[in-house]
Amino acid sequence: MSAIELILDILMVISAIVMIVTVLMQSSDDDGMGALTGGSDTFFGKNKNNTLEGKLALGTKISATLFVVLAVLMLIIA
C-alpha cells in the first residue's frame, strides 16, 4: 500500500464518520403530505440555510460528495 492510498483511506474514513454524524444529528421532517400543499412555506422554511439544520444538511452534502470523489480516486489509483 502506497502513501497516497493510505492518505485516501484515512480521508475516506474521516468523511464517512462526518457524514454519519451529520445525518444522525439532523431532525426528521414531519411535514409529510403538508409539503405538497405549501404548508411548510414559512420564514424558517425559506431561510433554512442560516439554521443549524441547514448547516448540518450542507455538511452532509459536502461529506457525501467528498466520499464519492475519494471512492472514484481509489478506483482510478488501484
Side-chain angles (χ1 to χ4, degrees):
M1 181 178 282
S2 67
I4 295 175
E5 289 177 353
L6 182 65
I7 291 170
L8 289 176
D9 283 340
I10 292 170
L11 289 174
M12 197 169 202
V13 169
I14 290 171
S15 68
I17 291 171
V18 168
M19 186 169 37
I20 290 169
V21 168
T22 55
V23 167
L24 289 176
M25 288 180 64
Q26 292 178 15
S27 64
S28 64
D29 290 333
D30 291 333
D31 290 341
M33 295 296 285
L36 292 176
T37 60
S40 65
D41 194 19
T42 63
F43 175 75
F44 293 110
K46 292 180 182 176
N47 294 323
K48 194 172 182 180
N49 291 334
N50 298 334
T51 63
L52 177 63
E53 292 192 22
K55 292 176 184 174
L56 287 173
L58 180 64
T60 303
K61 292 174 189 174
I62 291 172
S63 62
T65 304
L66 181 64
F67 184 84
V68 170
V69 168
L70 289 172
V72 170
L73 283 174
M74 289 287 291
L75 284 173
I76 292 172
I77 290 174

